[in-house]
Amino acid sequence: MSSTATAANMSPADRMADPNWWRQAAVYQIYPRSFSDSNADGLGDIRGITAKVPYLASLGIDAVWLSPFYPSALADGGYDVDDYRNVDPKLGSLADFDAMVAELHGAGIKLIADIVPNHSSNRHEWFREALAAPEGSSARDRYIFRDGQGPDGSLPPSDWESVFGGSAWQRSVDQDGTPGQWYLHLFAPEQPDLNWDNQEVRDDFLKTLRFWSDRGVDGFRVDVAHALTKDMTHPLPSKDELGSEGELQDGSHPFWDRDEVHEIYAQWRALFNEYTPPRTAVAEAWVHSSRRARYASPEGLGQAFNFDLLLADFDAEQFRAVITRNLAEAADSGASSTWVFSNHDVVRHATRYGLPKGGGREGRGQDGKAWLLNGGSAAELDLVTGTRRARAASLLMLALPGSAYLYQGEELGLPEVADIPDAARQDPTFFRNQGVDKGRDGCRVPLPWTAEGESFGFGDAGAHLPQPREFGAYSVESQEGDPSSTLELYRAALKLRRQLQTSEELTWISSADSVLHFTRPAGWQSVTNFGTEPIPLPAGTMLISSGPLDAGLLPADTTVWLS
Ligand code: GLC
């Protein structure tokens, strides 16, 4: 496996210039509307982030991944973009953005911008033009418009379903007020799919990537990277004829993971490589694991999320299999592996690990449909165990070679907020499922910074999603300086990781089935006890532990690092 210089031995300036900075980076995802509100409007904003750069630096992360910050009506939390080359006035201005980048870079922290190429918002000027333009016009060709079925075209062109529920087609209204053609939206109706066969669409995205790269953005997280190219040849197959997302391995699905998508990323890669250091990219691609390498290859985006650990139970055998497979796949693709437990789409892992194994998570729905949130009994949630396991899992993840993607609030051990009143919910998943799927708002509740006070220090005008009372005890203020807190665990682990990550090697040490023990270079060892009984520790000097030891033994649901 390839090796990188020790981040610890590099000055912040050298780290910024290192073309391999991403290979073993700790990347912290900021969901901007829920991070920190500087102007008392209840929404987090860019200046709020800038003000917290010292906090980010104190965590010891290498990069921030910023979820969409573009002008948006927030039909899908900002993943409905009105204008790809601007900042949402609700969040600030381009000048605020530049100031944030300068502050981050000054602290040696890179910035990865979320880019949303599969769909624009329905308020994007292109979509407005498309609606105003006649059938067959070039304005309509930037999207996917089709005639409806039935004598009067009143039935959708196919029975495809949107990821958020309901039909994937919406009928448009012509200029004279009569019902017109239908347009495709794999997500919400406010997110019309762009037509990536259209050259103007391709050229415009290159312009967008250049726009942000020129402004100092160091990399991109590519939203639904596997959906861009589509085979819309008639007759369209029915939904029963389609395989599920992430299942097919031959690129034959009309919209998920088609081979042609890689032509786009080859072009993007050429653009990224014009910069010094080259811009990086990570694909959000829910594809079969055998198909991930292409997204992650050096000729493509360079890295791809693997969500396998996130989908696994807290189980030694499942973790071992996922880690082994993903390290091998990453090595094959030339990328480094990625690890994720939480993000803005899934139930926070402190809660997930407190639910019964399997937890009703299945298919694509595994990301957001935890059983507790969808009718399971709260009595079966054991948050003490969940939190202990989340700490153990996070410490294990931070010992793995590759990039660790952390989600804001996980360093505080935040749980999912399951009891948001329906009237306060925002996620389109909730509305398009008639509330059956509660959606993803529970992991998007604004962060608590202080133990007391208005919105626990998030801002002076309340939080746009209600924070539960117990958030105060999870706040940064409550945890700072307490060595047993989750915040201090993350800080200490991230600092040590930076010193210890000298190469990308990992060697398994044989152990009981319920234990994962591996070594990294220079004698760094990580041991996790997934079993129920305390176990003896291997020889070595203790560096850090995710929880207290039990009379010198490693208790259940605990990870230690030794040297
Ligand atoms: C991705 C995002 C998710 C969004 C969807 C549509 O899966 O992570 O939040 O709703 O794409 O853009």
Side-chain angles (χ1 to χ4, degrees), residues 505-539:
E505 281 151 45
L506 174 148
T507 309
W508 290 108
I509 305 295
S510 78
S511 51
D513 288 350
S514 57
V515 175
L516 292 193
H517 183 188
F518 57 83
T519 58
R520 299 290 312 279
W524 174 21
Q525 310 178 57
S526 174
V527 192
T528 306
N529 182 0
F530 288 83
T532 50
E533 299 305 320
I535 54 163
L537 282 172

PDB file of all heavy atoms in Angstrom, residues 505-539:
ATOM      1  N   GLU A 505      -0.817   0.806   6.111  1.00  0.00           N
ATOM      2  CA  GLU A 505      -0.841  -0.632   6.385  1.00  0.00           C
ATOM      3  C   GLU A 505      -1.697  -0.976   7.601  1.00  0.00           C
ATOM      4  O   GLU A 505      -1.777  -0.194   8.547  1.00  0.00           O
ATOM      5  CB  GLU A 505       0.576  -1.139   6.637  1.00  0.00           C
ATOM      6  CG  GLU A 505       1.354  -1.353   5.365  1.00  0.00           C
ATOM      7  CD  GLU A 505       2.828  -1.152   5.598  1.00  0.00           C
ATOM      8  OE1 GLU A 505       3.334  -1.663   6.610  1.00  0.00           O
ATOM      9  OE2 GLU A 505       3.446  -0.447   4.780  1.00  0.00           O
ATOM     10  N   LEU A 506      -2.281  -2.157   7.539  1.00  0.00           N
ATOM     11  CA  LEU A 506      -3.026  -2.689   8.683  1.00  0.00           C
ATOM     12  C   LEU A 506      -2.780  -4.187   8.720  1.00  0.00           C
ATOM     13  O   LEU A 506      -2.838  -4.856   7.683  1.00  0.00           O
ATOM     14  CB  LEU A 506      -4.525  -2.399   8.515  1.00  0.00           C
ATOM     15  CG  LEU A 506      -5.476  -2.999   9.558  1.00  0.00           C
ATOM     16  CD1 LEU A 506      -6.679  -2.077   9.776  1.00  0.00           C
ATOM     17  CD2 LEU A 506      -5.964  -4.391   9.174  1.00  0.00           C
ATOM     18  N   THR A 507      -2.472  -4.732   9.882  1.00  0.00           N
ATOM     19  CA  THR A 507      -2.273  -6.177  10.027  1.00  0.00           C
ATOM     20  C   THR A 507      -3.216  -6.693  11.102  1.00  0.00           C
ATOM     21  O   THR A 507      -3.212  -6.172  12.233  1.00  0.00           O
ATOM     22  CB  THR A 507      -0.812  -6.471  10.470  1.00  0.00           C
ATOM     23  OG1 THR A 507       0.062  -5.780   9.594  1.00  0.00           O
ATOM     24  CG2 THR A 507      -0.515  -7.959  10.432  1.00  0.00           C
ATOM     25  N   TRP A 508      -4.002  -7.688  10.746  1.00  0.00           N
ATOM     26  CA  TRP A 508      -4.903  -8.281  11.738  1.00  0.00           C
ATOM     27  C   TRP A 508      -4.108  -9.175  12.677  1.00  0.00           C
ATOM     28  O   TRP A 508      -3.222  -9.916  12.248  1.00  0.00           O
ATOM     29  CB  TRP A 508      -5.974  -9.145  11.053  1.00  0.00           C
ATOM     30  CG  TRP A 508      -6.993  -8.357  10.285  1.00  0.00           C
ATOM     31  CD1 TRP A 508      -7.094  -8.281   8.924  1.00  0.00           C
ATOM     32  CD2 TRP A 508      -8.047  -7.549  10.805  1.00  0.00           C
ATOM     33  NE1 TRP A 508      -8.139  -7.469   8.571  1.00  0.00           N
ATOM     34  CE2 TRP A 508      -8.752  -7.005   9.707  1.00  0.00           C
ATOM     35  CE3 TRP A 508      -8.472  -7.216  12.097  1.00  0.00           C
ATOM     36  CZ2 TRP A 508      -9.845  -6.157   9.864  1.00  0.00           C
ATOM     37  CZ3 TRP A 508      -9.566  -6.380  12.255  1.00  0.00           C
ATOM     38  CH2 TRP A 508     -10.243  -5.854  11.147  1.00  0.00           C
ATOM     39  N   ILE A 509      -4.455  -9.145  13.940  1.00  0.00           N
ATOM     40  CA  ILE A 509      -3.872 -10.054  14.925  1.00  0.00           C
ATOM     41  C   ILE A 509      -4.979 -11.025  15.300  1.00  0.00           C
ATOM     42  O   ILE A 509      -6.107 -10.601  15.579  1.00  0.00           O
ATOM     43  CB  ILE A 509      -3.431  -9.285  16.201  1.00  0.00           C
ATOM     44  CG1 ILE A 509      -2.487  -8.140  15.828  1.00  0.00           C
ATOM     45  CG2 ILE A 509      -2.815 -10.224  17.227  1.00  0.00           C
ATOM     46  CD1 ILE A 509      -1.161  -8.567  15.245  1.00  0.00           C
ATOM     47  N   SER A 510      -4.637 -12.318  15.288  1.00  0.00           N
ATOM     48  CA  SER A 510      -5.717 -13.279  15.526  1.00  0.00           C
ATOM     49  C   SER A 510      -6.236 -13.111  16.957  1.00  0.00           C
ATOM     50  O   SER A 510      -5.479 -12.869  17.901  1.00  0.00           O
ATOM     51  CB  SER A 510      -5.250 -14.697  15.246  1.00  0.00           C
ATOM     52  OG  SER A 510      -4.493 -15.140  16.307  1.00  0.00           O
ATOM     53  N   SER A 511      -7.538 -13.210  17.067  1.00  0.00           N
ATOM     54  CA  SER A 511      -8.185 -12.949  18.358  1.00  0.00           C
ATOM     55  C   SER A 511      -9.505 -13.706  18.394  1.00  0.00           C
ATOM     56  O   SER A 511      -9.910 -14.318  17.399  1.00  0.00           O
ATOM     57  CB  SER A 511      -8.430 -11.443  18.512  1.00  0.00           C
ATOM     58  OG  SER A 511      -9.079 -10.961  17.364  1.00  0.00           O
ATOM     59  N   ALA A 512     -10.160 -13.652  19.531  1.00  0.00           N
ATOM     60  CA  ALA A 512     -11.471 -14.308  19.647  1.00  0.00           C
ATOM     61  C   ALA A 512     -12.424 -13.705  18.610  1.00  0.00           C
ATOM     62  O   ALA A 512     -12.229 -12.578  18.150  1.00  0.00           O
ATOM     63  CB  ALA A 512     -12.024 -14.078  21.042  1.00  0.00           C
ATOM     64  N   ASP A 513     -13.468 -14.462  18.251  1.00  0.00           N
ATOM     65  CA  ASP A 513     -14.404 -14.009  17.219  1.00  0.00           C
ATOM     66  C   ASP A 513     -15.036 -12.663  17.548  1.00  0.00           C
ATOM     67  O   ASP A 513     -15.394 -11.903  16.655  1.00  0.00           O
ATOM     68  CB  ASP A 513     -15.546 -15.030  17.055  1.00  0.00           C
ATOM     69  CG  ASP A 513     -15.039 -16.286  16.373  1.00  0.00           C
ATOM     70  OD1 ASP A 513     -13.877 -16.254  15.885  1.00  0.00           O
ATOM     71  OD2 ASP A 513     -15.788 -17.287  16.348  1.00  0.00           O
ATOM     72  N   SER A 514     -15.202 -12.396  18.828  1.00  0.00           N
ATOM     73  CA  SER A 514     -15.898 -11.163  19.210  1.00  0.00           C
ATOM     74  C   SER A 514     -14.933 -10.002  19.465  1.00  0.00           C
ATOM     75  O   SER A 514     -15.321  -8.983  20.047  1.00  0.00           O
ATOM     76  CB  SER A 514     -16.727 -11.420  20.469  1.00  0.00           C
ATOM     77  OG  SER A 514     -15.870 -11.891  21.477  1.00  0.00           O
ATOM     78  N   VAL A 515     -13.692 -10.174  19.039  1.00  0.00           N
ATOM     79  CA  VAL A 515     -12.684  -9.124  19.269  1.00  0.00           C
ATOM     80  C   VAL A 515     -12.047  -8.736  17.935  1.00  0.00           C
ATOM     81  O   VAL A 515     -11.752  -9.604  17.117  1.00  0.00           O
ATOM     82  CB  VAL A 515     -11.587  -9.635  20.239  1.00  0.00           C
ATOM     83  CG1 VAL A 515     -10.478  -8.599  20.396  1.00  0.00           C
ATOM     84  CG2 VAL A 515     -12.197  -9.986  21.593  1.00  0.00           C
ATOM     85  N   LEU A 516     -11.845  -7.451  17.714  1.00  0.00           N
ATOM     86  CA  LEU A 516     -11.069  -7.010  16.545  1.00  0.00           C
ATOM     87  C   LEU A 516      -9.786  -6.379  17.050  1.00  0.00           C
ATOM     88  O   LEU A 516      -9.812  -5.410  17.816  1.00  0.00           O
ATOM     89  CB  LEU A 516     -11.843  -5.995  15.701  1.00  0.00           C
ATOM     90  CG  LEU A 516     -13.064  -6.497  14.954  1.00  0.00           C
ATOM     91  CD1 LEU A 516     -13.525  -5.460  13.919  1.00  0.00           C
ATOM     92  CD2 LEU A 516     -12.823  -7.835  14.255  1.00  0.00           C
ATOM     93  N   HIS A 517      -8.684  -6.970  16.615  1.00  0.00           N
ATOM     94  CA  HIS A 517      -7.366  -6.517  17.049  1.00  0.00           C
ATOM     95  C   HIS A 517      -6.514  -6.352  15.802  1.00  0.00           C
ATOM     96  O   HIS A 517      -6.381  -7.276  15.008  1.00  0.00           O
ATOM     97  CB  HIS A 517      -6.766  -7.573  17.991  1.00  0.00           C
ATOM     98  CG  HIS A 517      -5.421  -7.189  18.559  1.00  0.00           C
ATOM     99  ND1 HIS A 517      -4.652  -8.064  19.285  1.00  0.00           N
ATOM    100  CD2 HIS A 517      -4.708  -6.040  18.501  1.00  0.00           C
ATOM    101  CE1 HIS A 517      -3.525  -7.469  19.665  1.00  0.00           C
ATOM    102  NE2 HIS A 517      -3.537  -6.243  19.193  1.00  0.00           N
ATOM    103  N   PHE A 518      -5.985  -5.171  15.595  1.00  0.00           N
ATOM    104  CA  PHE A 518      -5.073  -4.994  14.451  1.00  0.00           C
ATOM    105  C   PHE A 518      -3.949  -4.056  14.841  1.00  0.00           C
ATOM    106  O   PHE A 518      -4.053  -3.306  15.826  1.00  0.00           O
ATOM    107  CB  PHE A 518      -5.825  -4.492  13.217  1.00  0.00           C
ATOM    108  CG  PHE A 518      -6.593  -3.217  13.376  1.00  0.00           C
ATOM    109  CD1 PHE A 518      -5.985  -1.977  13.257  1.00  0.00           C
ATOM    110  CD2 PHE A 518      -7.963  -3.249  13.641  1.00  0.00           C
ATOM    111  CE1 PHE A 518      -6.708  -0.802  13.403  1.00  0.00           C
ATOM    112  CE2 PHE A 518      -8.698  -2.075  13.797  1.00  0.00           C
ATOM    113  CZ  PHE A 518      -8.073  -0.846  13.675  1.00  0.00           C
ATOM    114  N   THR A 519      -2.888  -4.163  14.081  1.00  0.00           N
ATOM    115  CA  THR A 519      -1.771  -3.243  14.314  1.00  0.00           C
ATOM    116  C   THR A 519      -1.590  -2.370  13.093  1.00  0.00           C
ATOM    117  O   THR A 519      -1.913  -2.753  11.966  1.00  0.00           O
ATOM    118  CB  THR A 519      -0.437  -3.969  14.586  1.00  0.00           C
ATOM    119  OG1 THR A 519      -0.154  -4.801  13.467  1.00  0.00           O
ATOM    120  CG2 THR A 519      -0.501  -4.796  15.841  1.00  0.00           C
ATOM    121  N   ARG A 520      -1.067  -1.215  13.374  1.00  0.00           N
ATOM    122  CA  ARG A 520      -0.673  -0.269  12.337  1.00  0.00           C
ATOM    123  C   ARG A 520       0.828  -0.063  12.495  1.00  0.00           C
ATOM    124  O   ARG A 520       1.402  -0.516  13.482  1.00  0.00           O
ATOM    125  CB  ARG A 520      -1.450   1.044  12.529  1.00  0.00           C
ATOM    126  CG  ARG A 520      -2.983   0.925  12.440  1.00  0.00           C
ATOM    127  CD  ARG A 520      -3.449   0.635  11.022  1.00  0.00           C
ATOM    128  NE  ARG A 520      -2.832   1.527  10.061  1.00  0.00           N
ATOM    129  CZ  ARG A 520      -3.238   2.780   9.797  1.00  0.00           C
ATOM    130  NH1 ARG A 520      -4.292   3.271  10.403  1.00  0.00           N
ATOM    131  NH2 ARG A 520      -2.592   3.533   8.911  1.00  0.00           N
ATOM    132  N   PRO A 521       1.463   0.629  11.576  1.00  0.00           N
ATOM    133  CA  PRO A 521       2.916   0.777  11.676  1.00  0.00           C
ATOM    134  C   PRO A 521       3.352   1.375  13.015  1.00  0.00           C
ATOM    135  O   PRO A 521       2.549   1.987  13.728  1.00  0.00           O
ATOM    136  CB  PRO A 521       3.236   1.719  10.522  1.00  0.00           C
ATOM    137  CG  PRO A 521       2.141   1.471   9.559  1.00  0.00           C
ATOM    138  CD  PRO A 521       0.926   1.202  10.375  1.00  0.00           C
ATOM    139  N   ALA A 522       4.605   1.164  13.318  1.00  0.00           N
ATOM    140  CA  ALA A 522       5.248   1.695  14.525  1.00  0.00           C
ATOM    141  C   ALA A 522       4.588   1.177  15.803  1.00  0.00           C
ATOM    142  O   ALA A 522       4.524   1.872  16.810  1.00  0.00           O
ATOM    143  CB  ALA A 522       5.268   3.224  14.503  1.00  0.00           C
ATOM    144  N   GLY A 523       4.058  -0.045  15.729  1.00  0.00           N
ATOM    145  CA  GLY A 523       3.563  -0.682  16.940  1.00  0.00           C
ATOM    146  C   GLY A 523       2.237  -0.165  17.476  1.00  0.00           C
ATOM    147  O   GLY A 523       1.821  -0.508  18.577  1.00  0.00           O
ATOM    148  N   TRP A 524       1.555   0.618  16.682  1.00  0.00           N
ATOM    149  CA  TRP A 524       0.241   1.135  17.098  1.00  0.00           C
ATOM    150  C   TRP A 524      -0.785  -0.006  16.980  1.00  0.00           C
ATOM    151  O   TRP A 524      -0.914  -0.632  15.926  1.00  0.00           O
ATOM    152  CB  TRP A 524      -0.115   2.302  16.175  1.00  0.00           C
ATOM    153  CG  TRP A 524      -1.481   2.903  16.338  1.00  0.00           C
ATOM    154  CD1 TRP A 524      -2.304   2.835  17.409  1.00  0.00           C
ATOM    155  CD2 TRP A 524      -2.152   3.703  15.365  1.00  0.00           C
ATOM    156  NE1 TRP A 524      -3.454   3.554  17.180  1.00  0.00           N
ATOM    157  CE2 TRP A 524      -3.384   4.095  15.922  1.00  0.00           C
ATOM    158  CE3 TRP A 524      -1.841   4.134  14.077  1.00  0.00           C
ATOM    159  CZ2 TRP A 524      -4.311   4.883  15.236  1.00  0.00           C
ATOM    160  CZ3 TRP A 524      -2.754   4.921  13.396  1.00  0.00           C
ATOM    161  CH2 TRP A 524      -3.968   5.294  13.971  1.00  0.00           C
ATOM    162  N   GLN A 525      -1.498  -0.277  18.079  1.00  0.00           N
ATOM    163  CA  GLN A 525      -2.500  -1.357  18.056  1.00  0.00           C
ATOM    164  C   GLN A 525      -3.875  -0.805  18.432  1.00  0.00           C
ATOM    165  O   GLN A 525      -3.977   0.070  19.276  1.00  0.00           O
ATOM    166  CB  GLN A 525      -2.199  -2.420  19.110  1.00  0.00           C
ATOM    167  CG  GLN A 525      -0.810  -2.972  19.143  1.00  0.00           C
ATOM    168  CD  GLN A 525      -0.700  -3.981  20.275  1.00  0.00           C
ATOM    169  OE1 GLN A 525      -1.448  -4.957  20.341  1.00  0.00           O
ATOM    170  NE2 GLN A 525       0.212  -3.749  21.195  1.00  0.00           N
ATOM    171  N   SER A 526      -4.894  -1.378  17.839  1.00  0.00           N
ATOM    172  CA  SER A 526      -6.265  -1.051  18.231  1.00  0.00           C
ATOM    173  C   SER A 526      -6.980  -2.360  18.569  1.00  0.00           C
ATOM    174  O   SER A 526      -6.895  -3.332  17.807  1.00  0.00           O
ATOM    175  CB  SER A 526      -6.984  -0.327  17.085  1.00  0.00           C
ATOM    176  OG  SER A 526      -8.340  -0.134  17.409  1.00  0.00           O
ATOM    177  N   VAL A 527      -7.655  -2.397  19.704  1.00  0.00           N
ATOM    178  CA  VAL A 527      -8.390  -3.600  20.109  1.00  0.00           C
ATOM    179  C   VAL A 527      -9.809  -3.185  20.496  1.00  0.00           C
ATOM    180  O   VAL A 527      -9.993  -2.263  21.300  1.00  0.00           O
ATOM    181  CB  VAL A 527      -7.759  -4.269  21.357  1.00  0.00           C
ATOM    182  CG1 VAL A 527      -8.360  -5.658  21.562  1.00  0.00           C
ATOM    183  CG2 VAL A 527      -6.265  -4.329  21.269  1.00  0.00           C
ATOM    184  N   THR A 528     -10.796  -3.873  19.935  1.00  0.00           N
ATOM    185  CA  THR A 528     -12.201  -3.593  20.288  1.00  0.00           C
ATOM    186  C   THR A 528     -12.855  -4.878  20.778  1.00  0.00           C
ATOM    187  O   THR A 528     -12.769  -5.919  20.113  1.00  0.00           O
ATOM    188  CB  THR A 528     -12.990  -3.058  19.077  1.00  0.00           C
ATOM    189  OG1 THR A 528     -12.309  -1.934  18.545  1.00  0.00           O
ATOM    190  CG2 THR A 528     -14.408  -2.662  19.472  1.00  0.00           C
ATOM    191  N   ASN A 529     -13.512  -4.771  21.908  1.00  0.00           N
ATOM    192  CA  ASN A 529     -14.234  -5.918  22.458  1.00  0.00           C
ATOM    193  C   ASN A 529     -15.724  -5.779  22.114  1.00  0.00           C
ATOM    194  O   ASN A 529     -16.435  -4.959  22.691  1.00  0.00           O
ATOM    195  CB  ASN A 529     -14.031  -5.961  23.982  1.00  0.00           C
ATOM    196  CG  ASN A 529     -14.722  -7.164  24.607  1.00  0.00           C
ATOM    197  OD1 ASN A 529     -15.342  -7.966  23.903  1.00  0.00           O
ATOM    198  ND2 ASN A 529     -14.626  -7.281  25.920  1.00  0.00           N
ATOM    199  N   PHE A 530     -16.172  -6.577  21.149  1.00  0.00           N
ATOM    200  CA  PHE A 530     -17.582  -6.567  20.747  1.00  0.00           C
ATOM    201  C   PHE A 530     -18.400  -7.573  21.571  1.00  0.00           C
ATOM    202  O   PHE A 530     -19.600  -7.705  21.369  1.00  0.00           O
ATOM    203  CB  PHE A 530     -17.723  -6.963  19.270  1.00  0.00           C
ATOM    204  CG  PHE A 530     -17.255  -5.917  18.285  1.00  0.00           C
ATOM    205  CD1 PHE A 530     -15.913  -5.784  17.950  1.00  0.00           C
ATOM    206  CD2 PHE A 530     -18.172  -5.084  17.663  1.00  0.00           C
ATOM    207  CE1 PHE A 530     -15.496  -4.840  17.022  1.00  0.00           C
ATOM    208  CE2 PHE A 530     -17.762  -4.136  16.734  1.00  0.00           C
ATOM    209  CZ  PHE A 530     -16.423  -4.008  16.416  1.00  0.00           C
ATOM    210  N   GLY A 531     -17.703  -8.324  22.418  1.00  0.00           N
ATOM    211  CA  GLY A 531     -18.389  -9.385  23.170  1.00  0.00           C
ATOM    212  C   GLY A 531     -19.088  -8.855  24.396  1.00  0.00           C
ATOM    213  O   GLY A 531     -19.291  -7.640  24.555  1.00  0.00           O
ATOM    214  N   THR A 532     -19.447  -9.759  25.300  1.00  0.00           N
ATOM    215  CA  THR A 532     -20.209  -9.352  26.483  1.00  0.00           C
ATOM    216  C   THR A 532     -19.351  -9.374  27.752  1.00  0.00           C
ATOM    217  O   THR A 532     -19.729  -8.778  28.754  1.00  0.00           O
ATOM    218  CB  THR A 532     -21.417 -10.290  26.689  1.00  0.00           C
ATOM    219  OG1 THR A 532     -20.931 -11.632  26.641  1.00  0.00           O
ATOM    220  CG2 THR A 532     -22.472 -10.089  25.628  1.00  0.00           C
ATOM    221  N   GLU A 533     -18.213 -10.082  27.704  1.00  0.00           N
ATOM    222  CA  GLU A 533     -17.375 -10.215  28.910  1.00  0.00           C
ATOM    223  C   GLU A 533     -16.067  -9.450  28.751  1.00  0.00           C
ATOM    224  O   GLU A 533     -15.526  -9.381  27.645  1.00  0.00           O
ATOM    225  CB  GLU A 533     -17.037 -11.711  29.137  1.00  0.00           C
ATOM    226  CG  GLU A 533     -18.238 -12.601  29.371  1.00  0.00           C
ATOM    227  CD  GLU A 533     -19.105 -12.103  30.518  1.00  0.00           C
ATOM    228  OE1 GLU A 533     -18.535 -11.651  31.535  1.00  0.00           O
ATOM    229  OE2 GLU A 533     -20.346 -12.124  30.395  1.00  0.00           O
ATOM    230  N   PRO A 534     -15.529  -8.925  29.860  1.00  0.00           N
ATOM    231  CA  PRO A 534     -14.210  -8.266  29.794  1.00  0.00           C
ATOM    232  C   PRO A 534     -13.129  -9.249  29.340  1.00  0.00           C
ATOM    233  O   PRO A 534     -13.212 -10.441  29.638  1.00  0.00           O
ATOM    234  CB  PRO A 534     -13.959  -7.817  31.242  1.00  0.00           C
ATOM    235  CG  PRO A 534     -15.289  -7.827  31.905  1.00  0.00           C
ATOM    236  CD  PRO A 534     -16.107  -8.880  31.221  1.00  0.00           C
ATOM    237  N   ILE A 535     -12.126  -8.736  28.634  1.00  0.00           N
ATOM    238  CA  ILE A 535     -11.043  -9.601  28.139  1.00  0.00           C
ATOM    239  C   ILE A 535      -9.693  -8.995  28.535  1.00  0.00           C
ATOM    240  O   ILE A 535      -9.589  -7.786  28.723  1.00  0.00           O
ATOM    241  CB  ILE A 535     -11.101  -9.762  26.598  1.00  0.00           C
ATOM    242  CG1 ILE A 535     -11.107  -8.373  25.917  1.00  0.00           C
ATOM    243  CG2 ILE A 535     -12.302 -10.577  26.160  1.00  0.00           C
ATOM    244  CD1 ILE A 535     -10.751  -8.403  24.460  1.00  0.00           C
ATOM    245  N   PRO A 536      -8.657  -9.845  28.633  1.00  0.00           N
ATOM    246  CA  PRO A 536      -7.332  -9.305  28.960  1.00  0.00           C
ATOM    247  C   PRO A 536      -6.821  -8.435  27.812  1.00  0.00           C
ATOM    248  O   PRO A 536      -7.145  -8.674  26.648  1.00  0.00           O
ATOM    249  CB  PRO A 536      -6.454 -10.553  29.110  1.00  0.00           C
ATOM    250  CG  PRO A 536      -7.373 -11.722  29.046  1.00  0.00           C
ATOM    251  CD  PRO A 536      -8.676 -11.298  28.478  1.00  0.00           C
ATOM    252  N   LEU A 537      -6.023  -7.464  28.164  1.00  0.00           N
ATOM    253  CA  LEU A 537      -5.432  -6.586  27.153  1.00  0.00           C
ATOM    254  C   LEU A 537      -4.136  -7.192  26.634  1.00  0.00           C
ATOM    255  O   LEU A 537      -3.397  -7.798  27.402  1.00  0.00           O
ATOM    256  CB  LEU A 537      -5.089  -5.243  27.790  1.00  0.00           C
ATOM    257  CG  LEU A 537      -6.236  -4.276  28.017  1.00  0.00           C
ATOM    258  CD1 LEU A 537      -5.743  -3.086  28.824  1.00  0.00           C
ATOM    259  CD2 LEU A 537      -6.786  -3.801  26.680  1.00  0.00           C
ATOM    260  N   PRO A 538      -3.831  -7.010  25.354  1.00  0.00           N
ATOM    261  CA  PRO A 538      -2.518  -7.443  24.889  1.00  0.00           C
ATOM    262  C   PRO A 538      -1.434  -6.563  25.511  1.00  0.00           C
ATOM    263  O   PRO A 538      -1.730  -5.493  26.053  1.00  0.00           O
ATOM    264  CB  PRO A 538      -2.582  -7.234  23.374  1.00  0.00           C
ATOM    265  CG  PRO A 538      -3.737  -6.355  23.126  1.00  0.00           C
ATOM    266  CD  PRO A 538      -4.648  -6.408  24.311  1.00  0.00           C
ATOM    267  N   ALA A 539      -0.191  -7.018  25.402  1.00  0.00           N
ATOM    268  CA  ALA A 539       0.910  -6.233  25.972  1.00  0.00           C
ATOM    269  C   ALA A 539       1.026  -4.901  25.246  1.00  0.00           C
ATOM    270  O   ALA A 539       0.732  -4.819  24.045  1.00  0.00           O
ATOM    271  CB  ALA A 539       2.202  -7.024  25.831  1.00  0.00           C
TER     272      ALA A 539
END
